[in-house]
Amino acid sequence: MFLLRESRGLAILAVLSGLIAGVGNSGLLALINMQITNVGNSTKTLVWSYVGLCILTLASRVVSELILTRLSLGTMFDLRMKLSKQILAAPLRHLEELRAHRLLATLTQDIPEVVNALIMIPMFCMYLTIIIACLAYLAWLSWIVFLGVVAFIIVAVASYQVSVVQAKRYQKLSREEWDSLFKHLRALTDGTKELKLHSGRRQAFLSQVLHSSMSALRRFLVLANNIYAVAAGWAHLLLFILIGLVIFAIPSMRAVDARILTGYTIIIIYMMAPMEFIIANLPVLSRAGVAIGKIDELGFSLESSSKEAIIAPSAKAEITWSSLKLVGIVHTYHVKQDNSSFTLGPIDLTFVPGERVFLVGGNGSGKTTLGKLITGLYVPEAGEVQFNGEPVTDANRDLYRQNFTAVFSDYFLFESLLGLYLPELDAQARRYLEQLQLDHKVNINEGHLSTLDLSQGQRKRLAMLTAYLENRNIYLFDEWASDQDPMFKEIFYYQILPELKARGKTVIVISHDDRYYHVADRIFKLENGKLAFQKDLAIAAAAPTDIQA
Ligand SMILES: Nc1ncnc2c1ncn2[C@@H]1O[C@H](COP(=O)(O)OP(=O)(O)OP(=O)(O)O)[C@@H](O)[C@H]1O
Ligand SMILES: [Mg+2]
């Protein structure tokens, strides 16, 4: 498993101490048996060996448990951290295709499953050692009986495995069902308003969507558990049959030394607890197997999709830039369900510092997609982006993205101004809050915003606050003004945009507000993924335009 490489040393240590505990345990048993069968003949060595083994066994058990706690919690931490990093390193388009609910299901569901099993492994090793040592002792007591016991165990394990294969299949199915249930649970929390407002929809969602998903999950889990329960019962029965054979059948077949018989019975009874533990916990191991498959699938898919070099946190984009050129860039969305696709491009465009560019066009014409291509969030499948004459490649795309601040329509607000190490950050932020008319609503303390519980328009202004503070070269606003009141729209188009221009920023505005198109230096219109026309208002100084979005 590629995610567990780091903690291999610790894992081996835990397993080793588990093994020592197992050997010690079996040694103790052998000593007890010797003492019972040689009544009255206790020697000094026997007593001291007993004391020594007691201490060794206890100590190795404690050590094993301590390492285990560290290992399991450490692994949970490492796995989550590693997957989170991989998620952030993966291309945006790949993540969109994977879907958020599947990422969440793995982060919350699969990782604890693996850790649960991991905790078991040293115990498994300890108990397996005990069983092996017991078997060795049995062999020492009597070869023939030992061979019989081994043959019996092989048959027992084989018959147990046959039923368990089916149970594993159901465990896999239940895990697949979890993915869809996660999606429905998101619909439940995100779609509460829509479900509350329409009783028919609510009823249908509960009975058709949630109910069917949950009952499928329940069915698979019940089936898997039932099979395991029956298999465990069967394994227990076999164990008792074994003891029965040893204590009833063997003495009747041929004269067996009573001492051997007692030894055998004690050992087999002693083996019962470890065997029960193993039988009871095999489902946990098998569930972890399914979870590991899921994590690996996701991990590999994330790992193989990310070829981009990640820049160091200290790396900064250059303060000056001369040109940003899109040369024949193309992006295609494939929709698997109905085999349709949407292609944007090929598009050729050039941006220079300090201009206001409007990107207009009807719904679904490809504006947001173009925005993602310009900002380096999507990788063009054909053509290239050239920044300062240099092509943007996997090696420098992360650095290239640091030139941009973007507020997309599905923007996300963080509770604090993370990663902005500016002198007097709070004072600057307060000044901008005032300009955005949010100073009476939101306070800022050591980069932490006092609240995010605001109206939609106000939240978008908070997104603008971050954009101001980032002070990047190029700004992209995806329909930023669409939910601002008329007064603030004026402020956006007549104050904020000119101010950004005055600071030498290039601003790309995706907008449907045709009333304000005249403030643009240039306008591009997209139609069905193609550049329909562009208009240079700065040069033409054209009168109010007739462009319709
Ligand atoms: N995640 C996606 N998966 C598949 N196809 C998509 C996806 N997002 C967008 N599309 C397709 O790409 C086209 C362009 O979408 P885009 O979001 O770029 O349009 P837009 O111009 O920003 O529209 P709007 O004005 O509604 O925001 C859409 O018509 C849609 O068919
Ligand atoms: Mg859009």
Side-chain angles (χ1 to χ4, degrees):
M1 203 174 112
F2 77 105
L3 289 159
L4 274 177
R5 275 177 222 143
E6 283 81 10
S7 36
R8 190 183 285 165
L10 218 53
I12 291 174
L13 213 64
V15 168
L16 270 185
S17 45
L19 287 182
I20 295 174
V23 171
N25 242 309
S26 328
L28 280 176
L29 183 80
L31 286 183
I32 292 169
N33 195 39
M34 268 186 219
Q35 179 59 19
I36 290 174
T37 44
N38 297 325
V39 194
N41 290 339
S42 60
T43 62
K44 234 184 181 156
T45 13
L46 213 62
V47 175
W48 280 116
S49 314
Y50 186 80
V51 173
L53 273 181
C54 275
I55 293 171
L56 178 77
T57 311
L58 266 179
S60 52
R61 234 192 126 129
V62 170
V63 168
S64 164
E65 295 279 323
L66 292 183
I67 296 175
L68 219 57
T69 311
R70 226 193 105 99
L71 187 68
S72 56
L73 295 177
T75 308
M76 185 118 80
F77 178 93
D78 290 346
L79 278 175
R80 287 213 170 112
M81 240 9 232
K82 187 157 189 164
L83 268 183
S84 306
K85 273 188 195 149
Q86 280 181 330
I87 289 172
L88 286 180
L92 176 67
R93 189 62 205 134
H94 184 68
L95 296 178
E96 286 175 351
E97 276 164 354
L98 275 178
R99 304 300 193 92
H101 65 265
R102 284 182 51 199
L103 300 177
L104 281 177
T106 288
L107 280 171
T108 57
Q109 180 78 9
D110 294 328
I111 290 176
E113 291 280 24
V114 174
V115 171
N116 276 345
L118 213 68
I119 299 172
M120 300 277 175
I121 287 174
M123 291 289 270
F124 257 87
C125 291
M126 187 179 92
Y127 283 136
L128 268 180
T129 320
I130 293 178
I131 290 172
I132 291 169
C134 285
L135 286 176
Y137 189 59
L138 289 185
W140 180 74
L141 281 176
S142 154
W143 257 107
I144 299 176
V145 181
F146 167 73
L147 284 181
V149 169
V150 167
F152 189 87
I153 288 179
I154 289 173
V155 173
V157 168
S159 67
Y160 180 79
Q161 274 301 326
V162 169
S163 49
V164 162
V165 168
Q166 199 63 7
K168 274 190 184 149
R169 202 174 67 85
Y170 286 122
Q171 278 180 333
K172 242 196 178 115
L173 284 173
S174 77
R175 179 59 189 81
E176 293 302 328
E177 194 56 48
W178 245 111
D179 271 348
S180 10
L181 183 58
F182 233 91
K183 186 168 76 185
H184 303 323
L185 290 178
R186 280 195 65 145
L188 178 75
T189 51
D190 295 352
T192 317
K193 291 188 290 299
E194 289 75 4
L195 293 169
K196 268 186 170 310
L197 280 172
H198 194 286
S199 66
R201 183 185 302 126
R202 180 173 59 222
Q203 197 48 42
F205 178 75
L206 281 176
S207 63
Q208 287 163 26
V209 180
L210 265 193
H211 188 275
S212 70
S213 177
M214 283 190 192
S215 61
L217 182 68
R218 181 181 59 188
R219 196 173 70 247
F220 294 141
L221 285 178
V222 164
L223 279 170
N225 280 3
N226 284 355
I227 294 174
Y228 270 117
V230 172
W234 171 238
H236 273 136
L237 180 68
L238 287 172
L239 213 58
F240 279 108
I241 291 176
L242 180 63
I243 296 177
L245 284 176
V246 171
I247 58 173
F248 295 118
I250 295 175
S252 66
M253 283 192 315
R254 45 177 280 200
V256 179
D257 191 341
R259 252 176 41 193
I260 292 182
L261 208 62
T262 326
Y264 252 82
T265 317
I266 289 180
I267 300 276
I268 289 178
I269 290 174
Y270 190 75
M271 274 163 74
M272 273 185 80
M275 285 208 175
E276 263 176 41
F277 176 87
I278 288 177
I279 292 167
N281 287 299
L282 277 179
V284 178
L285 283 197
S286 142
R287 270 210 306 276
V290 176
I292 288 173
K294 274 279 177 191
I295 296 175
D296 271 355
E297 201 179 288
L298 186 67
F300 277 133
S301 126
L302 292 173
E303 210 167 35
S304 62
S305 67
S306 60
K307 297 183 255 13
E308 274 173 20
I310 301 295
I311 57 165
S314 55
K316 287 222 160 44
E318 287 179 41
I319 300 166
T320 53
W321 64 289
S322 54
S323 74
L324 164 57
K325 220 168 162 181
L326 312 181
V327 188
I329 56 164
V330 175
H331 176 85
T332 307
Y333 291 110
H334 298 282
V335 182
K336 279 188 199 114
Q337 287 88 337
D338 54 2
N339 238 342
S340 67
S341 65
F342 172 88
T343 302
L344 174 85
I347 285 179
D348 297 277
L349 273 180
T350 306
F351 301 96
V352 292
E355 56 176 352
R356 264 168 303 180
V357 181
F358 276 38
L359 203 56
V360 306
N363 291 135
S365 56
K367 303 180 296 297
T368 300
T369 312
L370 183 59
K372 287 177 178 168
L373 283 161
I374 293 172
T375 48
L377 290 169
Y378 281 176
V379 182
E381 59 188 52
E384 66 178 12
V385 179
Q386 292 169 359
F387 192 65
N388 292 340
E390 298 268 322
V392 175
T393 60
D394 283 341
N396 60 9
R397 190 171 299 106
D398 199 21
L399 186 64
Y400 166 74
R401 277 196 292 263
Q402 313 307 311
N403 286 295
F404 296 92
T405 271
V407 184
F408 285 100
S409 38
D410 56 351
Y411 66 101
F412 184 84
L413 278 182
F414 288 91
E415 283 173 348
S416 49
L417 304 169
L418 292 171
L420 290 172
Y421 308 108
L422 302 170
E424 297 179 38
L425 177 65
D426 285 2
Q428 274 198 52
R430 273 190 211 112
R431 220 168 28 247
Y432 287 131
L433 278 177
E434 216 167 297
Q435 201 178 350
L436 293 165
Q437 303 176 1
L438 282 176
D439 49 323
H440 60 294
K441 283 279 174 192
V442 183
N443 210 338
I444 195 147
N445 194 4
E446 289 179 1
H448 199 89
L449 298 165
S450 62
T451 180
L452 295 182
D453 299 330
L454 299 164
S455 78
Q456 288 304 319
Q458 290 169 330
R459 283 171 57 86
K460 259 206 167 152
R461 289 190 215 170
L462 263 192
M464 179 67 92
L465 167 75
T466 325
Y468 267 140
L469 291 167
E470 283 177 14
N471 196 20
R472 294 283 175 84
N473 288 327
I474 304 168
Y475 284 68
L476 185 133
F477 298 115
D478 190 349
E479 294 175 39
W480 184 86
S482 62
D483 34 24
Q484 297 300 316
D485 56 39
M487 200 188 81
F488 211 84
K489 261 189 187 158
E490 299 252 313
I491 293 181
F492 175 70
Y493 287 105
Y494 293 141
Q495 258 184 38
I496 293 179
L497 292 188
E499 252 177 52
L500 286 170
K501 187 182 160 79
R503 278 163 64 188
K505 310 294 180 191
T506 287
V507 191
I508 302 169
V509 182
I510 297 175
S511 168
H512 294 296
D513 291 327
D514 48 1
R515 280 181 52 207
Y516 297 99
Y517 285 175
H518 61 278
V519 304
D521 296 329
R522 286 193 295 156
I523 296 184
F524 299 107
K525 185 169 184 185
L526 278 176
E527 253 168 35
N528 199 18
K530 304 274 182 292
L531 217 48
F533 73 85
Q534 39 182 306
K535 189 158 191 161
D536 207 325
L537 295 161
I539 294 171
T545 89
D546 53 353
I547 299 160
Q548 293 299 313

